[in-house]
Amino acid sequence: MSQGVFVEADAKREFVSGVGATFVALSLGHLFIDSLATLLPASLGLIEVRSGITPAQSAWLMGLGSLTSGLAQPICAVISDRWRTRVFSVVGILLAGLGFAALGLPESSALLGFAYMMGMIGNGMFHPIAATTVAQLYRHRRNSAASAFFVAGMVGGVMGAMFFPRWLSTNAGFETLPYIAVPALVLGLVVYRCQAALPPIQAHTQQSLDLGVIKSNWKSVWYLYLSSALRYCVNTALVYLFVRWAQDEVFSRHGNWSLEAVAKEAAPTVGNLNAAMIFGMAIGGILAGRFVRPNRERVPMILVPILFSPVVALLPYMSVNASYVFAALAGIGFSSMIPISIALAQHLLPHRAYLASSLMMGGAWTVASIGPRCAEFGVTHLGINTTFLLTAGVLALSGIVCVGLVAPSEASGN
């Protein structure tokens, strides 16, 4: 009997260590894959010059990334729910690494679009599977675990936004991009080994809820989805607006410079703005995970976007240095509730956990593909300051729609 106790204790320690190793591996994968996702937005001006694409074409290119990443997520989530597999977290890392590595090869717009689309499909594959795995490993601390995983991606985003514009501004920057494939292969192998050591995924079972509660849960999930889509539209619109605002600032000082010179001069500022915004996203995720308790999500989901929306409207009136602070605050405003939305959706739909994650992530990102195009239209026809103001209105709206959210305690009868 004592031997059986020791065997059980050893098995428990092995499982706990396996959980920790898997969490670290997935978080590193999230850091890496989100650093790659900032490559094109933070370096957009440089890529426009290199590939000879117009601002309108670059807006469509960014939208293509959101669309392909968004569509990949629910497709992979449905397959993963059906076959109870985690393999797409590994495939996603590999495909993203190869896709973004290939951005260093083409100079034509068609090849550029194909490479970017491949990288973003890999990005989309990884996110819902990895996020759901983390939540399943730490079921009773879902908000904290989801926030920690989310922050790892934001750290990667800051690193990528700071690094890639500076790297690609050098003479050999684009030519050395293919080396990105090496860490992708290493990380993919590590994640595969860690996940293989976990117990198989058990079949998802429907909780003992009556039909009225199930219907209420789905209604809440759709409110969460709409709110997430609006927040992501703010995110993608700001990424595009940062490029135009930084280039306008350089033009105001050097009106006789060529477009290539302006792009190179503005690239570090664009990278800094993206890094500051992602830093704010990470801070928001940490604070949300710390202070938003399970079953108490509704009020912060409403108030946070509304309270931070003026920051977005005021950003274009700031100096360059002050704009970094406002970009960080904007990141807190639209992003702090993202990990909470993911964890809450999984809680509301436990029998469709991967699908719930994908709706809050990729499903919402699909809608966000219109963000850059809307921002480009606004800058062209309304002016950049008015476009920032309208973007702030979308952020406030993302909080207002959560008024219809049913609290989980009400939905589940707890």
Side-chain angles (χ1 to χ4, degrees), residues 333-359:
F334 73 75
S335 185
S336 55
M337 293 298 107
I338 290 175
I340 306 302
S341 298
I342 296 169
L344 178 55
Q346 292 173 3
H347 177 63
L348 291 171
L349 300 178
H351 60 305
R352 294 290 183 268
Y354 289 132
L355 178 60
S357 295
S358 70
L359 286 174

Side-chain angles (χ1 to χ4, degrees), residues 208-247:
S208 56
L209 304 176
D210 60 41
L211 293 178
V213 172
I214 294 174
K215 182 178 179 180
S216 176
N217 284 357
W218 268 108
K219 182 179 179 181
S220 293
V221 167
W222 288 121
Y223 279 120
L224 288 172
Y225 172 81
L226 178 57
S227 178
S228 296
L230 291 170
R231 290 196 302 269
Y232 286 141
C233 283
V234 171
N235 187 183
T236 56
L238 285 177
V239 169
Y240 183 84
L241 290 172
F242 288 161
V243 176
R244 300 300 158 225
W245 184 78
Q247 289 183 343

Side-chain angles (χ1 to χ4, degrees), residues 4-5 25 36 87-88 107 124 162 211 226 229-230 241 251 274 280 301-302 309 320 324 340 348 354 368 391:
V5 172
L36 296 182
V87 70
F88 285 116
E107 294 188 16
M162 295 290 289
L211 293 178
L226 178 57
L230 291 170
L241 290 172
F251 265 124
N274 278 281
M301 291 282 294
I302 297 170
S309 59
V320 171
Y324 300 148
I340 306 302
L348 291 171
Y354 289 132
T391 305

Side-chain angles (χ1 to χ4, degrees), residues 51-143:
S51 301
I53 59 176
T54 66
Q57 288 174 317
S58 64
W60 282 111
L61 182 62
M62 287 180 59
L64 176 67
S66 298
L67 180 64
T68 53
S69 174
L71 289 176
Q73 292 199 29
I75 293 173
C76 294
V78 169
I79 296 173
S80 298
D81 272 328
R82 175 66 180 82
W83 296 103
R84 301 195 293 278
T85 177
R86 305 181 179 104
V87 70
F88 285 116
S89 57
V90 177
V91 176
I93 292 175
L94 298 177
L95 190 60
L98 294 174
F100 283 102
L103 285 178
L105 302 178
E107 294 188 16
S108 72
S109 58
L111 291 176
L112 173 68
F114 178 78
Y116 184 53
M117 181 175 64
M118 183 169 70
M120 292 305 291
I121 288 174
N123 183 284
M125 286 182 175
F126 173 83
H127 276 88
I129 313 308
T132 305
T133 300
V134 167
Q136 289 170 343
L137 295 176
Y138 297 95
R139 188 175 302 277
H140 299 294
R141 291 179 287 163
R142 64 177 188 271
N143 284 354

